[in-house]
Every structure is written in structure tokens, then in C-alpha cells.
Amino acid sequence: MVLELHVWGPAFGLPSIDPQCLATIAYFSLAIGPNNGGPDEWVLVADSDPGRVPTHELPALWTGSRWISRYRNIIHYLKQFSEGKWDLDGWMGEKERADCIVFSSFIESYGQPLIDLSLYVSSENYYAITSPAYGSLLQWPNQWILPPQLRAMAKTRTEHLGLSYLDLDAAEEKQKEQQDGRQTPSASSQIPKSLATKPRDTISGLLSKTSQQSRIRLDGLTETFVSPLEELRNGKGYLLTEDTPCSLDCLALGYLSLALVPETPSAWLREGVHKYSPRLVQYFEQMQLKCYGGKVESVDTGRAAATLPWQESEPATIAGIGLRIAESLADAIPIVRDLRASLRMQQLSKAASGEQEQKATMAIAQFMRREAIVSTLTVVTGLGMFAWYAVAGMNLQFPDSTQVQDENGDDSEAAEQGAVEETSSSPFGEAGKVLGI
């Protein structure tokens, strides 16, 4: 059986545009190399389509019977499947294993926001290199659906950092709102609105403000990320030992690759890593050559170099395109989106590596499902009450027609009877009736 590793495709000269995919590729390259079974045991598929995976996440491993997503779950499966043969962490003691767990969480927690800020939140970098990279990877209609979604998720993940200045689109829109709501001075109130002009900052001005306001904080975040890794390595060949790489090295390589390799217009992340940890850059170059073998411009060039076992992805079908469009429309409805997210979490819990992780993931999925069901019931109840109120109001506003006719008939009879009484009560008798007096 050949294992299929599905990942986001190559970009920036790297085998993938995603740090978790890069880490997984590095692990496969080291664990299932020529000395441990050879490249015939696995293939690398750059389909760049999370929709083909039940959990909607890449990287994903197809074992022939089920899908396994996420870096930790995949390497845990490899350890069990190979009975320890493909376990890069098998040599570890308790101390090394604890360090591996702690620093793996550290890299994911601190490295992902830096990648998000550099490649997605920063408007300058996003439109210059990230968006074109996805345009070359994705097929229609994913070219128009996935990149904005990925950028929105990156903004959400980094919102707590308070560095929204990097997003020039949001900054310029906010500035327009402020200018539209600003009161004009009394001296300029005499000028006709058609002739009045409002000063507006240019994009270069916004970039200047961005650099001045956020560069210090960005450098601080970069130093916080690389300094502990440099201290952990402490001149060794790898992060935990002198001559044996482990899963922690693969994870560090994935995030350092996207920090150092992309040639971004605003290169604060690459410059910060070089500034605060030049020896970590040397370590990265060593790991990159060992795991990836060199630059990968595309799947074709990667297959020609024969450094990684690339395989062509399946072409998109009409049914698949229709499914992607339907899924994007469904995700636009909040309730449906929450239900779909809970189903994906349930699928992910089945592939979790440990029993505790399975229970935690399943609990999250059940909570999300309950929230979605409660939201659905709330909306349905509200619509039902609104419909009942509307129908009841119409009944009150438009009474029964037969009742209206009866009331009109009674009123006409009463009017005729009153007229008869008035005419019969004339003081001049019959002559008064004739003369109308």
C-alpha cells in the first residue's frame, strides 16, 4: 500500500505554501527515506483542495481506507503503522519528549501569527506575492473562494495582537468613514460642497504610518519566536540533539521556511529572524537542503528534480466544481456553516492521535453542534412567532365580510326607520309632509 500525502501546492520555491504541510513533508522525507523503506512507500499529491478531505484540512494522509488530517495525527499514525520504524522520536527520553511537546506547541502558537501577519494580513505582501501564488495553485472557482477565506481567518487569528495597521484595506476604509463623518470647520462652511476637497492619505503615506507604528511590535514578536529556539539549539546540529533530527525539527522547518524564503516587499519577518538569530538561519538552510533538496517552483520541476515523490492530482470535474460552489453558498449561511463545522470536528476526532485528544475534539464537536441546533431552533421559533403575529394582525384588520354586510344592513334599516319617524312627526300634518316643513 502506498500512502498518499495531500498538501497545498508549491509556492515561493518551497514544496508547499502552508507551514503544517511543509512540516509533514519534511517528516516524511526524513522518516521514509532511502534508509527506511525508500520513496516507493509514499507519494506527494499537491491538489491544494481541502474540499476533497472530509475534515476540509490539509495536510491530509490517505491510507487506503481513511483520511487523517493535521501534522500530529499523521506522524502518530506513521509511528503505529510502521511499528516504530518511521518514528523520528523513538530515541527520546522523558526530558527530550517533554521538550518536544512543549516547543512544538510554542512553535505553532507563536509561529502561525507571524506567518499570518507577514503573508496574509499585510496588504502589501498579500497582493504582491500571496494572492498570485494561490492564483497559480488553485483551479476555478477556488481561485476566487479560498484566498479571501484564508485571509479572513488569518485576520481573525491575529486580531488580538492589535496590528490591524498592516491591513491597508481596512485602514483606508476606516479612514474614509472618519473623513465622511468629520465635521467641516466653520471657516470652510461657506465653500460649496462641490468645490470643497478633503485631504486623503495616499497608499505610500499609509505604508509609512504602518512601518512607524508597528515595526517595533513586529520585531518584538519575531524576537519572542526565534530566541527560545536559538537558546534550545545552543550550537547543536539540531534542536534537541547533535546528530538526530526529530519531529520538532520538522515543525520548526515548516514555519521558518515561510518566514525566511518568501521575498516579500515588506520583509520585516525575514529581516527580524536574520537580526535576532543568524545561527538559526544557518540551521534552517541545512534542514531545507536535507529535507526538500532545493527549490521547487512547481510540481513539474519537483518531479524532474526527483527529490520528492510528486504525483499529479486528479483533474477537477464538473460535479466537483458544482460541489465547491454549493459548499461556498452553504457556508454563507451562519447556521449551516456551524453545522458543517461540527461535522468536520467529528471527522477530525476519529483521526486524533490520543484518547484524550479524541475526547476533547469530540466534546468540542458536540458543543458546536448543540450551539448550531439551539441557533436553528431560536430562528425557527422567531419566524413562527412573527408569522403568527402577522396572521393575527391581518384578521384583526380585515373582519369577516358577512359581518360587515350585516352591520351595514342594520345601519341602513335604522337610518330608514329614523327618517320615517322624522317625516311622520311634522307639526303641519299632511300638508307639511307635502311641502317638506
Side-chain angles (χ1 to χ4, degrees), residues 7 11 38 86 134 238 240 272 319 340 367 433:
V7 297
W86 297 337
Y134 278 109
Y238 300 97
L240 295 181
R340 283 168 48 81
F367 174 78
K433 293 179 182 180

Side-chain angles (χ1 to χ4, degrees), residues 163-424:
L163 290 168
S164 58
Y165 297 104
L166 295 172
D167 184 8
L168 295 182
D169 297 336
E172 191 172 9
E173 183 177 354
K174 183 177 180 180
Q175 188 180 28
K176 287 181 180 179
E177 293 178 356
Q178 292 177 351
Q179 289 178 348
D180 293 340
R182 186 184 303 161
Q183 294 181 356
T184 57
S186 58
S188 61
S189 60
Q190 304 298 328
I191 302 176
K193 293 183 178 181
S194 59
L195 300 178
T197 58
K198 297 180 181 180
R200 296 180 59 188
D201 290 342
T202 61
I203 294 296
S204 59
L206 289 172
L207 283 173
S208 177
K209 290 184 178 181
T210 300
S211 177
Q212 295 172 1
Q213 295 176 356
S214 61
R215 184 58 186 263
I216 296 176
R217 293 195 60 189
L218 293 173
D219 286 345
L221 292 173
T222 305
E223 184 180 8
T224 303
F225 174 63
V226 298
S227 295
L229 296 178
E230 178 62 31
E231 184 178 354
L232 176 66
R233 182 171 176 258
N234 195 21
K236 300 189 295 292
Y238 300 97
L239 292 179
L240 295 181
T241 186
E242 178 63 35
D243 54 0
T244 305
C246 63
S247 61
L248 179 62
D249 294 282
C250 299
L251 193 62
L253 175 62
Y255 286 90
L256 288 175
S257 297
L258 291 177
L260 293 170
V261 174
E263 297 180 358
T264 56
S266 179
W268 55 267
L269 182 55
R270 183 172 68 248
E271 293 173 357
V273 176
H274 280 274
K275 176 182 178 181
Y276 295 110
S277 185
R279 289 183 295 179
L280 198 63
V281 177
Q282 298 176 359
Y283 157 80
F284 156 75
E285 294 173 351
Q286 170 192 346
M287 284 290 298
Q288 182 189 23
L289 184 62
K290 185 179 183 65
C291 297
Y292 305 146
K295 288 187 176 182
V296 181
E297 300 297 338
S298 64
V299 175
D300 295 333
T301 58
R303 189 186 297 109
T307 54
L308 294 171
W310 292 99
Q311 177 177 299
E312 284 286 349
S313 60
E314 297 180 0
T317 61
I318 297 178
I321 293 174
L323 180 61
R324 301 298 174 270
I325 297 175
E327 288 177 346
S328 63
L329 295 176
D331 288 337
I333 304 174
I335 296 175
V336 179
R337 181 177 63 245
D338 294 341
L339 288 173
R340 283 168 48 81
S342 66
L343 293 176
R344 289 195 293 267
M345 289 296 295
Q346 289 180 357
Q347 292 289 339
L348 187 61
S349 65
K350 297 178 181 179
S353 56
E355 183 178 356
Q356 293 183 351
E357 186 176 355
Q358 287 180 353
K359 292 181 179 179
T361 308
M362 182 60 70
I364 295 174
Q366 292 176 353
F367 174 78
M368 294 173 62
R369 187 175 183 180
R370 284 197 300 268
E371 289 292 320
I373 292 175
V374 170
S375 300
T376 304
L377 293 177
T378 302
V379 172
V380 171
T381 304
L383 292 176
M385 294 180 64
F386 175 77
W388 176 84
Y389 179 79
V391 173
M394 291 176 62
N395 290 335
L396 292 175
Q397 186 176 2
F398 301 102
D400 190 8
S401 59
T402 58
Q403 183 179 359
V404 173
Q405 291 178 358
D406 293 340
E407 292 178 354
N408 292 336
D410 295 340
D411 293 342
S412 60
E413 291 177 359
E416 292 176 357
Q417 185 176 1
V420 171
E421 292 178 354
E422 289 179 358
T423 54
S424 62

